[in-house]
Amino acid sequence: MEARMLKVLLLSHGRLCEGMLDTLSIFQSSVEYITAIPFYVNGVDSEMALREYLHAIQKEDTVLIFTDIMMGSVNQNIMVACENKTNVHVVSGYNLPVVLELLTCDPKNLTSQWIEEKVTACKDSIVSMDSYIPPRNDGDE
């Protein structure tokens, strides 16, 4: 059986994806399998970088692509480009908790259902701290 390789692509309007990659390097021992491509940035040929990235995907790879805004131009672009790629999964509206959670996957066991479960679980990490009441630990005063 072939080993499946996980590849991760972070896409965003502006340099958000580069900041996410920088932050991930604090939590991950290696980020060599993660690529960030910012769109609408002077001096960056995002379209060419994306074409090259997608062309390099092998059938044995498992690819997680994160976009910043659901149905934004970057998201629409990648959805069209990956329409027939069954080994590519796109998640839109990313934040640090969801990216970290999905990076823990074993590529050979990654499914759309598993991704949905992790995304749903991570939605709870977005909280207005104005109204958040932390749980009390019994015995702590």
Side-chain angles (χ1 to χ4, degrees):
M1 182 172 169
E2 294 179 36
R4 293 184 69 85
M5 181 173 176
L6 178 65
K7 293 183 178 181
V8 176
L9 178 59
L10 304 170
L11 302 174
S12 64
H13 295 80
R15 298 193 182 276
L16 174 68
C17 61
E18 293 174 335
M20 179 63 74
L21 179 56
D22 181 62
T23 300
L24 289 170
S25 70
I26 296 169
F27 293 94
Q28 299 283 304
S29 59
S30 171
V31 293
E32 293 177 8
Y33 64 103
I34 305 172
T35 301
I37 302 175
F39 281 74
Y40 309 108
V41 173
N42 288 333
V44 177
D45 189 347
S46 306
E47 297 293 334
M48 177 62 80
L50 182 59
R51 276 194 303 278
E52 289 174 357
Y53 184 91
L54 294 175
H55 182 71
I57 294 173
Q58 302 296 311
K59 66 180 178 181
E60 63 273 4
D61 294 333
T62 298
V63 183
L64 283 171
I65 299 177
F66 295 91
T67 66
D68 57 351
I69 302 173
M70 185 173 85
M71 299 313 296
S73 57
V74 174
N75 181 259
Q76 289 180 39
N77 192 2
I78 199 64
M79 293 303 295
V80 169
C82 295
E83 189 172 30
N84 297 315
K85 294 183 182 293
T86 59
N87 58 336
V88 174
H89 305 275
V90 179
V91 175
S92 187
Y94 65 89
N95 62 16
L96 184 59
V98 76
V99 174
L100 286 172
E101 188 70 32
L102 293 177
L103 292 183
T104 65
C105 73
D106 179 347
K108 68 179 181 258
N109 297 326
L110 189 123
T111 65
S112 294
Q113 179 181 348
W114 186 84
I115 292 170
E116 288 290 333
E117 289 170 6
K118 296 302 181 182
V119 167
T120 298
C122 288
K123 286 180 182 178
D124 291 339
S125 70
I126 301 172
V127 175
S128 169
M129 295 305 288
D130 291 343
S131 60
Y132 178 75
I133 300 172
R136 287 185 52 111
N137 292 331
D138 289 341
D140 286 349
E141 297 288 330

